[in-house]
């Protein structure tokens, strides 16, 4: 076990608070100019106040450190309006009739919604006649998890509306670091934590909010606690500063470079891509050569508009040879993402012969070569054997014929030809994956290639542990009945598994 891992598992040491710097100084983009918020520290405490201020600022709210006449909304916790008015009097601030006195529940809802929510009676602090009543705490309105949250992502609806970015970003960095260190167990722990938080309809504000949420072990709870208390996780900070992490992150950003190559370059002491690129002793694969050649284009993500333009190219090319084929955009774009690192397509053609099926991708690639659109291609023939029992390996790649490509996408002609022509380059290199599957498996292939990775991992785990079935990209096998369960649509696969149907845009686990 390396020192880093020991730090993970060792007893948690309390550190001095490091809040100030990240909280107050950073100028954040203010989205809601008409609102000027002030959060009352009294009865709330410095730490929680700082945390809420940071969260609200991240969502584009203007939150003042000090109370002034420009403040329009005062947010308080466990205070009655009379308490707040008394306090204002001591501060020598006269409360105007426009000044809103609000319970913290309003702010928490705003943070969750990412915008100001309508103020209703339940949010407004009321002046109580009986002062003693004001001493009883106002109800904490953080929505409690009403229904039991499943440990499986395939039993949760996870849209792109993530209320817990601050935590899930941290977990994804920690998971990536484990991936770089080939520590599969810890990788899964962090990815499961990120995944479950992405499905929550509210933002976690205090440790109490984590009660009843599955997939959070002590190690991940510590990270959450750190972020709540200090605004950041020391563990994440250490990873971001770690040489190995930084190098692996950089090296694996090159198409064709995986963990093995990164490890080699790291051991050789390389720190930058320019040094690697120009080194005379290194040998690169064709994939890596292409990765370096189109590096800038490939690291700048693919937009939905570009993905749609690629989709037209793919459909035109496929239909030129097999007019009956179905072409479906899969991966992140099918889940509603607005950007991606590549564009994935599943192609299937009912009624075609095996020969026609096998030839299609070759023909498509040759067409693009003739048209000058092909920058790189790697065609992998199918290794599909009929009647083979599905693989029980969770992340096993499928046996379909597939093609990993880099295509030249010409910029769309813009009115009067201004923007795109500016730098002389009229195209962008785009990573495209094409998968060809036999029509009988298309529902399974579609489910498998839509992702997310965590969703796929969990639906297979669910099939194995809860249903004694084996699911992969080709088929669903019932081990008890010893039969393959046929399906023509994703809905049928969910039904076989006894799961409620989860739409593609709800699979962003
Ligand atoms: N997939 C999987 N397991 C893997 C790799 C991929 O289940 N080890 C599935 C899930 C998504 C799909 O294949 C496409 O993979 P990517 O393109 O890598 O993922 P993506 O969700 O499309 O993400 P991105 O936006 O980065 O392309
Ligand atoms: Mg993709």
């Amino acid at each position: 076990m390396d020192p880093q891992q020991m730090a993970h598992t060792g007893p948690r040491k309390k550190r001095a608070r490091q809040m100030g710097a990240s909280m107050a100084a950073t100028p954040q983009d203010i989205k809601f100019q008409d609102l000027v918020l002030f959060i009352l520290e009294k009865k709330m405490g410095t730490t929680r106040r700082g945390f809420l201020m940071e969260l609200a600022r991240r969502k584009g709210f203007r939150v003042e450190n000090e109370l002034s006449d420009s403040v329009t909304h005062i947010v308080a916790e466990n205070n009655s309006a009379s308490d707040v008015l008394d306090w204002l009097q001591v501060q020598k601030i006269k409360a105007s009739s426009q000044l809103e006195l609000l319970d913290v529940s309003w702010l928490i809802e705003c943070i969750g919604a990412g915008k100001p929510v309508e103020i209703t009676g339940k949010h407004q602090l009321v002046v109580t006649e009986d002062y003693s009543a004001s001493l009883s705490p106002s109800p904490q309105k953080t929505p409690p998890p009403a229904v039991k949250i499943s440990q499986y992502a395939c039993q949760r609806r996870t849209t792109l509306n993530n209320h817990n970015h601050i935590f899930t970003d941290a977990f994804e960095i920690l998971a990536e670091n484990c991936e770089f260190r080939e520590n599969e167990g810890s990788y899964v722990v962090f990815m499961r934590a990120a995944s479950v938080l992405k499905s929550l309809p509210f933002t976690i504000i205090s440790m109490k909010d984590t009660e009843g949420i599955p997939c959070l072990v002590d190690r991940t709870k510590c990270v959450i606690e750190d972020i709540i208390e200090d605004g950041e996780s020391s563990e994440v900070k250490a990873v971001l500063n770690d040489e190995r992490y930084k190098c692996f992150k950089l090296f694996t950003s090159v198409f064709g470079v995986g963990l093995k190559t990164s490890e080699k370059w790291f051991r050789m002491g390389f720190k930058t891509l320019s040094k690697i690129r120009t080194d005379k002793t290194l040998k690169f694969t064709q994939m890596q050569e292409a990765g370096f050649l189109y590096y800038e284009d490939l690291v700048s993500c693919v937009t939905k508009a570009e993905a749609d333009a690629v989709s037209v190219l793919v459909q035109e090319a496929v239909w030129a040879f097999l007019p009956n084929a179905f072409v479906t955009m899969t991966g992140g774009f099918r889940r509603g993402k607005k950007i991606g690192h590549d564009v994935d397509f599943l192609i299937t053609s009912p009624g075609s012969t095996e020969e026609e099926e096998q030839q299609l991708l070759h023909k498509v690639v040759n067409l693009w070569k003739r048209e000058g659109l092909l920058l790189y291609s790697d065609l992998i023939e199918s290794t599909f054997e009929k009647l083979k029992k599905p693989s029980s390996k969770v992340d096993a790649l499928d046996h379909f014929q597939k093609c990993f490509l880099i295509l030249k996408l010409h910029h769309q002609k813009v009115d009067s030809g201004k923007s795109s022509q500016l730098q002389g380059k009229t195209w962008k290199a785009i990573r495209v994956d094409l998968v060809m599957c036999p029509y009988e498996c298309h529902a399974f292939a579609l489910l498998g290639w839509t992702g997310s990775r965590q969703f796929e991992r969990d639906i297979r785990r669910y099939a194995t542990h809860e249903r004694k079935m084996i699911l992969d990209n080709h088929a669903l096998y019932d081990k008890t009945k010893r039969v393959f369960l046929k399906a023509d649509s994703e809905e049928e696969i969910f039904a076989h598994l006894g799961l409620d149907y989860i739409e593609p845009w709800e699979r962003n686990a």
Side-chain angles (χ1 to χ4, degrees):
M1 188 182 269
D2 65 22
Q4 176 119 3
Q5 283 167 303
M6 261 159 55
H8 282 156
T9 47
R12 179 164 186 261
K13 285 204 205 84
K14 276 274 161 200
R15 285 149 294 101
R17 299 270 178 273
Q18 312 154 325
M19 211 149 60
S22 75
M23 294 282 158
T26 45
Q28 312 268 349
D29 289 341
I30 294 169
K31 283 203 237 157
F32 316 109
Q33 301 285 352
D34 300 341
L35 275 64
V36 184
L37 274 50
F38 176 80
I39 305 177
L40 192 64
E41 188 178 306
K42 191 166 156 263
K43 294 196 189 165
M44 178 184 281
T46 326
T47 310
R48 182 159 161 82
R49 176 178 184 253
F51 177 65
L52 289 170
M53 283 167 70
E54 167 89 1
L55 274 183
R57 283 174 179 160
R58 276 175 192 239
K59 299 278 172 161
F61 288 90
R62 179 171 159 196
V63 189
E64 299 292 277
N65 289 330
E66 311 286 340
L67 186 64
S68 71
D69 289 331
S70 59
V71 168
T72 59
H73 294 61
I74 295 185
V75 175
E77 185 164 41
N78 299 340
N79 282 278
S80 71
S82 317
D83 294 338
V84 180
L85 290 172
D86 283 355
W87 183 82
L88 285 172
Q89 222 167 20
V90 175
Q91 309 300 309
K92 306 226 165 25
I93 298 262
K94 214 167 144 25
S96 75
S97 57
Q98 265 89 41
L99 185 66
E100 294 279 4
L101 304 184
L102 298 164
D103 182 70
V104 70
S105 59
W106 172 78
L107 181 63
I108 289 169
E109 282 176 38
C110 291
I111 291 169
K115 59 177 189 217
V117 300
E118 196 193 341
I119 295 171
T120 63
K122 66 175 180 175
H123 302 124
Q124 278 162 328
L125 296 181
V126 284
V127 183
T128 48
E129 283 181 12
D130 178 5
Y131 258 50
S132 66
S134 69
L135 294 174
S136 65
S138 67
Q140 161 64 282
K141 303 259 172 44
T142 304
V147 282
K148 198 169 174 287
I149 302 169
S150 170
Q151 62 150 312
Y152 298 105
C154 56
Q155 290 186 305
R156 306 190 293 253
R157 296 180 195 274
T158 315
T159 65
L160 290 166
N161 187 11
N162 177 359
H163 296 287
N164 290 286
H165 262 297
I166 189 170
F167 305 109
T168 58
D169 289 354
F171 286 137
E172 282 173 352
I173 291 166
L174 296 173
E176 194 175 33
N177 185 48
C178 297
E179 198 179 9
F180 292 161
R181 289 170 183 276
E182 295 183 60
N183 184 346
E184 172 74 15
S186 299
Y187 169 81
V188 169
V189 164
F190 289 126
M191 286 309 280
R192 279 195 193 150
S195 176
V196 74
L197 296 194
K198 283 181 191 175
S199 75
L200 299 180
F202 58 89
T203 305
I204 288 175
I205 308 277
S206 74
M207 286 314 284
K208 210 167 172 318
D209 300 335
T210 64
E211 281 168 19
I213 300 176
C215 315
L216 296 179
V217 295
D218 284 350
R219 194 167 158 199
T220 45
K221 279 189 178 165
C222 280
V223 176
I224 296 177
E225 199 173 356
D226 260 6
I227 296 174
I228 290 176
E229 288 182 0
D230 304 340
E232 62 184 8
S233 148
S234 53
E235 204 179 335
V236 172
K237 228 171 140 183
V239 166
L240 291 175
N241 281 318
D242 178 62
E243 248 351 281
R244 186 190 158 95
Y245 174 83
K246 285 194 280 188
C247 286
F248 271 61
K249 181 92 184 148
L250 181 67
F251 301 164
T252 55
S253 71
V254 181
F255 173 57
V257 178
L259 296 184
K260 228 178 71 202
T261 309
S262 297
E263 181 79 48
K264 189 175 103 188
W265 292 348
F266 180 67
R267 279 178 196 272
M268 290 171 82
F270 286 108
K271 295 246 156 62
T272 65
L273 292 180
S274 62
K275 279 264 168 16
I276 294 171
R277 237 164 157 161
T278 51
D279 192 278
K280 296 274 183 301
T281 63
L282 291 176
K283 276 212 158 45
F284 303 121
T285 63
Q286 274 193 311
M287 209 182 221
Q288 292 162 354
E289 294 276 10
F292 280 123
L293 198 53
Y294 306 112
Y295 183 75
E296 277 72 28
D297 276 2
L298 298 184
V299 285
S300 82
C301 284
V302 185
T303 64
K304 178 68 169 67
E306 287 164 344
D308 287 336
V310 171
S311 182
V312 172
L313 284 180
V314 175
Q315 285 176 337
E316 279 174 359
V318 168
W319 290 340
F321 305 107
L322 286 181
N324 287 334
F326 291 106
V327 177
T328 312
M329 200 191 289
T330 58
F333 289 111
R334 183 160 186 253
R335 302 195 308 274
K337 277 175 64 177
K338 295 278 180 279
I339 53 164
H341 91 281
D342 66 357
V343 200
D344 309 286
F345 292 93
L346 181 69
I347 303 163
T348 190
S349 181
S352 294
T353 64
E354 256 182 59
E355 165 87 8
E356 284 170 331
E357 233 167 57
Q358 191 274 331
Q359 281 301 308
L360 178 73
L361 291 187
H362 290 274
K363 287 178 180 170
V364 165
V365 167
N366 284 331
L367 173 69
W368 284 333
K369 197 184 276 177
R370 289 198 299 277
E371 291 176 341
L373 298 182
L374 194 73
L375 298 175
Y376 172 85
S377 92
D378 180 17
L379 202 153
I380 313 223
E381 289 299 341
S382 158
T383 51
F384 195 65
E385 299 157 49
K386 291 239 160 81
L387 296 172
K388 189 173 164 286
K389 219 167 76 172
S391 161
S392 56
K393 270 213 198 129
V394 175
D395 252 351
L397 274 174
D398 56 51
H399 299 281
F400 302 131
Q401 186 194 41
K402 51 181 87 70
C403 195
F404 305 112
L405 300 153
I406 302 177
L407 285 190
K408 186 186 263 193
L409 180 69
H410 286 288
H411 292 315
Q412 306 288 312
K413 294 248 181 330
V414 188
D415 293 341
S416 71
K418 41 182 186 213
S419 66
S420 60
Q421 314 288 329
L422 278 180
Q423 285 128 14
K425 187 163 158 273
T426 57
W427 53 271
K428 179 176 168 184
I430 309 263
R431 272 275 301 113
V432 177
D433 285 348
L434 302 182
V435 179
M436 182 81 204
C437 80
Y439 188 69
E440 312 87 76
C441 332
H442 76 277
F444 298 99
L446 182 60
L447 178 61
W449 277 86
T450 297
S452 66
R453 282 167 199 234
Q454 193 56 36
F455 188 90
E456 299 305 328
R457 237 179 253 124
D458 276 9
I459 195 168
R460 287 166 201 206
R461 192 163 61 93
Y462 175 87
T464 307
H465 295 292
E466 306 296 330
R467 301 283 166 198
K468 290 199 167 42
M469 292 183 187
I470 306 174
L471 172 70
D472 67 11
N473 285 2
H474 320 97
L476 179 63
Y477 181 75
D478 186 326
K479 290 205 283 186
T480 319
K481 295 184 186 148
R482 300 193 184 182
V483 288
F484 284 97
L485 302 172
K486 293 213 174 337
D488 221 28
S489 65
E490 290 178 311
E491 282 88 341
E492 287 174 46
I493 304 174
F494 280 81
H496 281 316
L497 289 167
L499 288 169
D500 285 342
Y501 183 62
I502 306 286
E503 298 281 357
W505 56 90
E506 296 170 326
R507 298 180 204 162
N508 286 290

